[in-house]
Amino acid sequence: MTRFVDKITFFDRRASPMAEAEDVARDGLLIHYGSPAGASPPGNVAGGSVTLGQLFKRVGDAHSGGGGGEEGGEVGSVSRLRHVIEVDPFEEYQLGSPPPPPFVLAFTDLTYSVKRRERMSLLRRNRLALDPPETAAERGRTKTLLNSISGEAREGEIFAVLGASGSGKSTLIDALANRIARESLQGSVTLNGEKLEGRLLKVISAYVMQDDLLYPMLTVEETLMFSAEFRLPRSLSASKKKSRVQALIDQLGLRAAAKTIIGDEIHRGVSGGERRRVSIGIDIIHDPILLFLDEPTSGLDSTSAFMVVKVLQRIAHSGSIVIMSVHQPSYRILRLLDRLLILSRGQTVYSGAPDGLHSFFADFGHSIPDGENPTEFALDLIRELEGTPAGATALVQFNKSRAAAQPAASKPAALSLKDAISVSISRGKLVSGATEGATSSSSSVQKHANPFWIEMGVLTKRSWTNTKRMPELFAIRLAAILLTGFILATIFWRLDNSPKGVQERLGFFAIAMSTMFYSCADALPVFLQERSIFMRETAYNAYRRSSYVLSNAIVGFPPLVLLSVAFALTTYFAVGLAGGMQGFVFFVLIVLAAFWSGSGFVTFLSGVVTHILLGYTVVVALLAYFLLFSGFFINRDRIHDYWLWFHYMSLVKYPYEAVMQNEFDDPHKCFVRGVQMFDNTPLAALPEVAKLTVLRSMGQSLGVNLTGSTCITTGTGILQQQSITQLTKWDCLWITVAWGFLFRFLFYISLLLGSRNKRR
Amino acid sequence: MTRFVDKITFFDRRASPMAEAEDVARDGLLIHYGSPAGASPPGNVAGGSVTLGQLFKRVGDAHSGGGGGEEGGEVGSVSRLRHVIEVDPFEEYQLGSPPPPPFVLAFTDLTYSVKRRERMSLLRRNRLALDPPETAAERGRTKTLLNSISGEAREGEIFAVLGASGSGKSTLIDALANRIARESLQGSVTLNGEKLEGRLLKVISAYVMQDDLLYPMLTVEETLMFSAEFRLPRSLSASKKKSRVQALIDQLGLRAAAKTIIGDEIHRGVSGGERRRVSIGIDIIHDPILLFLDEPTSGLDSTSAFMVVKVLQRIAHSGSIVIMSVHQPSYRILRLLDRLLILSRGQTVYSGAPDGLHSFFADFGHSIPDGENPTEFALDLIRELEGTPAGATALVQFNKSRAAAQPAASKPAALSLKDAISVSISRGKLVSGATEGATSSSSSVQKHANPFWIEMGVLTKRSWTNTKRMPELFAIRLAAILLTGFILATIFWRLDNSPKGVQERLGFFAIAMSTMFYSCADALPVFLQERSIFMRETAYNAYRRSSYVLSNAIVGFPPLVLLSVAFALTTYFAVGLAGGMQGFVFFVLIVLAAFWSGSGFVTFLSGVVTHILLGYTVVVALLAYFLLFSGFFINRDRIHDYWLWFHYMSLVKYPYEAVMQNEFDDPHKCFVRGVQMFDNTPLAALPEVAKLTVLRSMGQSLGVNLTGSTCITTGTGILQQQSITQLTKWDCLWITVAWGFLFRFLFYISLLLGSRNKRR
């Protein structure tokens, strides 16, 4: 292992950064080993009968007692001692000290079947004629994704699951990571011989998904720091959290990229491999004992992929079990893997060390040619066999008989699960906040690391940091609002008080209030992106869903205020709306309320409809129906009874009625005066004098004096004509605001229901 | 080469499909060699002084004279002869027959620089502190993508360009394929010593892009058949085209998948590797001499990637030069490559055979360890060097000095370009329609293989075949239209003839006409997907842009008729619109016209705005403005002069005015009768008797008799009030139809401007 690759500089200009990184990493991780306030040495613990809770507690003390490694001077001689003691745990085993018992994750006869949904028969028929074996299997009502899989993954090792797509790799990882509902999965998974309880597993493990879901505008360091604030216990001081993040940055080889933003399609950020390592870092911030990864190298070029697996090896050596799926490892990556499990259609084809592949396939009668990548060879052979009617059965059988011939050489773990965990903690592992304050019964393990208000603060800060670095997003929304405002202002410029002017006011209000809602629809992509991050983070209880919903609303609010004021300023005075300064303030408030309920509505829909184009279509269509039923196109008293419920559900109704009342609630203001009442009748064509004559004779028959300046219709009259009589303008305002809250509550519900992440 | 991989069955159940495939392929490709009407033997041609045009002509005769290989009986003894003669061209060279001169594509000192656009300075500063070398380069105003690259690719070989992303791989391929504007590119590219003229290159070459853009619902065979119809000359009989496609299917190893649809996310189709091979097949249907591929293996698993390159090797051996870029070839793929060119930041790091890598790096002082993939090693080393301040300069220099020490062993091509092409054609290569009827001046080479009407027919057939297999797309649109129709019908159920009823009719018409347009917006994704396929196909002149635009309109029309009738049936009678059967027919026609212009509008936008979400937003916003300016919200006579132009541009105006006139153009039909004229005034509250008194006194002062049944406002009066006076309803219909045509013409223009595919 002295090739140049091992010295790759991770884009750093320092002499030997990786060596340095490893030093720092140990400083960060194993900081408490041998420190004055530290835990008892492993031997003692193994002999004692302490509870898991007590052990966690002891470690908590150790955490608060030890000095931060990176804080320079304060560490003194302790630091020196540490440097002597702290060697790679693995090397340590071989150095003669009592061998600490490794964790062993064993799984036996895992079997998992799903019912197949019927496909469109037309398409199936197409394929049928050509591919009998596959479609025959398809027609069966259930499909076996895992078929009696057994194996063993050990601390300090990388356990890799290989196979073609559809072979069951991801399913097996999910089964081990307890992401499949217990009742659907047959077989057992044990850690050091004990069944793993779901809550405890969540605490001591991490699951890294394939997608890198990260806030694009945060730096690498910030991203990890926020993760630390969510997942590390509150009792850990800020400086400790910082040093943990720094140690992690070095462990991940991200030192040079620490201050660079993650980036997205528009903003240049870190490379794909760096991004993947940040994703891993987020999930291992609490230094878990079990690390599951679903194809961590997919989509990376070979060098980046190699560095990711190298990081994983380092994590394994620090005392973890690393279990990953990988499609087809390169030669170099293969050399980093300790155990392989090769699957074909849910069955084990090979299980053992990479070195064993040559003799295995030679015995099977297909020697691997020199220079050939053994896994490439294996997967090609499997693929070829799968193409035959018998499938890979021969190979599966051969593997079974071979396994039976060689009785398992695995020695059981030396320590019980509890003791092993306590030893591990005492060695600096598992800095998870979730362990804090736990008692011996793991069911009482706290679900979240931090109380509600801290989560709120951190989430708000993170979201705000990310948002403020993308000012262009707000700028585009503002520009859209200003443009629409400008067009509305110029087309409805200084409306007069006449029947036509009144009609145009109605149109203006209907359009203006719909604009708020439609403008919110454009934020749908942003919501959807955030939603994915949220889903991943709440999957391991990084924070409460409620904190997220609230902080989401808080961060989103200030921009809405600016947009409201901008829209009101562009239109209110230009159109010549009534009510003076008071009217203007109410106009701003109702526009803001419309934005608030609109963004709530779109946020809620983003929680329900996760496909972006479908979501957009649904939002646009629903808003169109809201507008249709708002009372503008058809007055409330003319809507048939069977549609009245939708009229009251129309979000646009309330802001529309509010601005209408704001405009027309002056009982003294006149909108139709004298002969203007004939404007929309055939009499409009008569000369002014004739109209006045008609008006006078009308007055005579009614017994009142009607002249050219008599007010025929006041604002109140218009409201009555439009059937806007049930609610005051303040009622409408509060109802609009309440809609906003309701939708955010529904969003919360949708997250609760939607973020289940176990397979059935 | 006798390992099991070479016998991979390509999902076929036959004994030795690849051997069979190669046989059939030769039947298809080299069908004219030795046929009675065939060309003179190579020797003759080389000696003669025929023009290129004459050669093409001669081949044309051969095409029309020779019998189809797959048609069975008719070939007889000729077929036998062929089987004796047709051996792999490469093997033939070694068999002692006069060696046919291979094509040699040579390129010398290719240099290409681009001006860098300024990045957001804020972000750059972030990176600056950490990464001085990179940002220093970035700050420079120009970036050199290719820096004096030279090399040589030969017939029968695969020439592979390697390098990290950003090293200039794709740029070099583009430069060789004449996809960079001549004036920007320095250096020379020659084929057999002659400069390549753009048009000729298009005829004898093919460029395969990274993306698989295929009609999802066509089968593999259909896809290739349509490609054959576009690219093979009309003089080639249908049966010849069919046999060419069959040969190609075998050459590509797609026999088992031939009848399977391509598929998409929803519809299950062929595998990724099969799809990639179909993409290659489409571009090599005319059996080009030069084949360029940009990362043909990207996104494929190693087995599929291997099979793709294996197919490429077979193509090379059939007498082509294959030039491809590849990110990091696996060991097995590497053995299929004949020449490598490794780039680092636009500079040559290595050039030569794969076998030479070991000695090259050994001499450089970094031996490749045993078992290591040499290209992985090389790229890692380069990456490490690029991380240093000096970059990979040392390696570039080393390569230069080594190249200087070993004078080029390449022998120049034996034949002139013209002669080589003619020999190649006589051997069955280059079945391109573009060669047909060409004269000696290659500038007069016909641009398209088929006349306009044939393109139209084929395009229409293809699009129709694809569409009719996705009935669910139409079903969704129909359901949306029916749902909206149902809601409108029930909310505007049986409108009465009163002032309010009139107002509601206006609202109904405005909404109904906008619905047509919004419903078209939902088809945007379909248009965008088609557009990508179109772009690729017209890039090599598969057909005229005009044929595409027309066939697109033709295929899209029948569904619109159904949608129009469905919408009219749901709403017309339910709302109680006027005009009887004649009115209904006109209603259907104007709805259809609205659909027609709306789909034209969206089609046009899909040609201009290619990002789907942006496109959707733009369509929705523009349609909202169209509605705003249609005359419904503000009448024409009330719109300020500076906005009148937009009123006339509003697509919604014309259908809206047309349905208004259809409803209200009866001068005898009464909408406001007697006391109804007071409905929207304070007098509405008076008792009926009092209103009649007022009405009578009004009549007296006007000198007419007004009773409770006197018609106050007729339909004509309403049209006048709404300023719908300029155009007749038929005018509006024709204008709407004309908009549809105009937008399709604009779409055509946008395609003309947008489908330039050269770099500047």
Side-chain angles (χ1 to χ4, degrees), chain A residues 134 302-303 328 332 380 682 712, chain B residues 302-303 328 332 380 682 712:
Chain A
E134 197 166 309
S302 133
T303 311
Q328 230 160 22
R332 288 180 301 162
D380 283 335
I712 307 290
Chain B
S302 131
T303 310
Q328 232 162 21
R332 287 181 301 163
D380 284 335
I712 307 291

Side-chain angles (χ1 to χ4, degrees), chain A residues 450-487:
Chain A
N450 297 293
F452 180 72
W453 63 90
I454 294 206
E455 288 178 1
M456 282 281 301
V458 176
L459 279 168
T460 306
K461 190 177 154 205
R462 177 173 71 169
S463 187
W464 179 245
T465 311
N466 187 57
T467 308
K468 79 170 182 217
R469 290 191 190 149
M470 287 191 286
E472 67 275 17
L473 273 193
F474 175 72
I476 289 171
R477 276 191 86 179
L478 184 63
I481 284 290
L482 286 176
L483 176 68
T484 304
F486 170 77
I487 291 178

Side-chain angles (χ1 to χ4, degrees), chain A residues 223-243:
Chain A
T223 304
L224 293 173
M225 199 60 217
F226 280 118
S227 176
E229 300 207 30
F230 288 133
R231 302 210 65 179
L232 298 187
R234 204 151 53 99
S235 62
L236 216 60
S237 68
S239 67
K240 291 278 177 46
K241 284 178 186 163
K242 263 185 207 138
S243 58

Side-chain angles (χ1 to χ4, degrees), chain A residues 371-418:
Chain A
E372 180 87 1
N373 181 329
T375 54
E376 258 179 30
F377 176 90
L379 292 175
D380 283 335
L381 178 59
I382 291 164
R383 189 169 169 151
E384 193 193 15
L385 290 174
E386 282 174 357
T388 64
T393 321
L395 204 51
V396 172
Q397 290 304 330
F398 177 71
N399 178 54
K400 267 191 198 148
S401 60
R402 234 176 107 98
Q406 299 170 333
S410 79
K411 23 169 201 175
L415 281 184
S416 75
L417 178 57
K418 249 185 229 171

Side-chain angles (χ1 to χ4, degrees), chain A residues 4 13 134 138 268 302-303 328 332 380 490 500 504 511 616 628 635 638 643 680 682 712 721, chain B residues 134 138 268 302-303 328 332 380 384 387 490 500 504 511 616 628 635 638 643 680 682 712 721:
Chain A
F4 74 92
R13 321 250 153 271
E134 197 166 309
E138 243 183 286
R268 185 173 155 218
S302 133
T303 311
Q328 230 160 22
R332 288 180 301 162
D380 283 335
T490 47
K500 286 232 172 180
E504 284 154 12
I511 292 178
Y616 209 79
L628 174 59
N635 297 156
R638 303 267 298 178
W643 273 129
N680 276 337
I712 307 290
Q721 282 165 29
Chain B
E134 196 165 310
E138 243 182 286
R268 187 174 154 218
S302 131
T303 310
Q328 232 162 21
R332 287 181 301 163
D380 284 335
E384 192 194 17
T490 47
K500 285 232 172 180
E504 283 154 13
I511 292 177
Y616 209 78
L628 174 59
N635 297 155
R638 302 270 296 179
W643 272 129
N680 277 337
I712 307 291
Q721 282 166 30

Side-chain angles (χ1 to χ4, degrees), chain A residues 101-169:
Chain A
F103 286 100
V104 179
L105 182 81
F107 47 99
T108 323
D109 289 332
L110 290 183
T111 300
Y112 175 57
S113 307
V114 284
K115 287 217 174 80
R116 286 202 131 262
R117 268 184 287 168
E118 278 291 316
R119 291 246 165 199
M120 287 181 67
S121 58
L122 182 93
L123 300 173
R124 186 131 48 84
R125 229 176 301 129
N126 267 348
R127 194 82 176 165
L128 199 68
L130 304 154
D131 243 2
E134 197 166 309
T135 32
E138 243 183 286
R139 259 176 304 177
R141 295 293 301 149
T142 61
K143 190 181 175 183
T144 304
L145 296 183
L146 295 180
N147 189 347
S148 186
I149 309 288
S150 303
E152 201 181 87
R154 301 175 78 86
E155 180 186 323
E157 298 184 348
I158 299 184
F159 181 91
V161 185
L162 277 78
S165 20
S167 61
K169 288 193 302 291

Side-chain angles (χ1 to χ4, degrees), chain A residues 127-425:
Chain A
R127 194 82 176 165
L128 199 68
L130 304 154
D131 243 2
E134 197 166 309
T135 32
E138 243 183 286
R139 259 176 304 177
R141 295 293 301 149
T142 61
K143 190 181 175 183
T144 304
L145 296 183
L146 295 180
N147 189 347
S148 186
I149 309 288
S150 303
E152 201 181 87
R154 301 175 78 86
E155 180 186 323
E157 298 184 348
I158 299 184
F159 181 91
V161 185
L162 277 78
S165 20
S167 61
K169 288 193 302 291
S170 302
T171 313
L172 179 57
I173 303 275
D174 280 354
L176 298 177
N178 191 30
R179 286 162 58 87
I180 296 181
R182 189 73 31 119
E183 55 279 15
S184 314
L185 183 71
Q186 293 160 40
S188 74
V189 182
T190 60
L191 186 60
N192 284 23
E194 290 176 37
K195 267 220 151 150
L196 264 173
E197 204 271 331
R199 280 201 151 178
L200 177 66
L201 183 68
K202 248 190 185 179
V203 168
I204 63 167
S205 76
Y207 181 93
V208 180
M209 294 190 201
Q210 251 193 57
D211 314 308
D212 299 321
L213 296 170
L214 304 166
Y215 278 88
M217 301 312 290
L218 301 182
T219 67
V220 168
E221 193 174 13
E222 285 167 346
T223 304
L224 293 173
M225 199 60 217
F226 280 118
S227 176
E229 300 207 30
F230 288 133
R231 302 210 65 179
L232 298 187
R234 204 151 53 99
S235 62
L236 216 60
S237 68
S239 67
K240 291 278 177 46
K241 284 178 186 163
K242 263 185 207 138
S243 58
R244 168 67 187 138
V245 166
Q246 295 307 324
L248 194 57
I249 285 174
D250 289 317
Q251 193 185 24
L252 297 168
L254 289 170
R255 175 53 62 203
K259 305 276 184 208
T260 309
I261 59 161
I262 301 295
D264 55 19
E265 301 86 46
I266 302 158
H267 306 90
R268 185 173 155 218
V270 299
S271 73
E274 288 166 335
R275 194 176 296 200
R276 185 62 45 86
R277 280 178 272 150
V278 175
S279 288
I280 294 171
I282 282 181
D283 284 327
I284 63 163
I285 191 87
H286 62 308
D287 206 3
I289 291 166
L290 273 162
L291 178 58
F292 302 99
L293 305 101
D294 189 14
E295 304 221 16
T297 57
S298 78
L300 297 182
D301 64 74
S302 133
T303 311
S304 305
F306 174 73
M307 286 198 280
V308 164
V309 182
K310 192 94 186 98
V311 161
L312 293 178
Q313 189 186 48
R314 230 183 290 159
I315 292 167
H317 285 185
S318 78
S320 299
I321 304 176
V322 174
I323 298 176
M324 64 186 257
S325 63
V326 55
H327 189 78
Q328 230 160 22
S330 73
Y331 206 88
R332 288 180 301 162
I333 289 179
L334 190 59
R335 287 194 302 203
L336 300 178
L337 308 178
D338 298 288
R339 269 160 209 254
L340 302 184
L341 183 74
I342 307 184
L343 294 179
S344 159
R345 297 192 182 158
Q347 295 186 292
T348 308
V349 170
Y350 175 80
S351 171
D355 295 341
L357 281 168
H358 279 92
S359 68
F360 179 84
F361 283 103
D363 293 353
F364 184 63
H366 287 78
S367 293
I368 305 176
D370 283 346
E372 180 87 1
N373 181 329
T375 54
E376 258 179 30
F377 176 90
L379 292 175
D380 283 335
L381 178 59
I382 291 164
R383 189 169 169 151
E384 193 193 15
L385 290 174
E386 282 174 357
T388 64
T393 321
L395 204 51
V396 172
Q397 290 304 330
F398 177 71
N399 178 54
K400 267 191 198 148
S401 60
R402 234 176 107 98
Q406 299 170 333
S410 79
K411 23 169 201 175
L415 281 184
S416 75
L417 178 57
K418 249 185 229 171
D419 294 348
I421 290 180
S422 85
V423 172
S424 191
I425 292 174

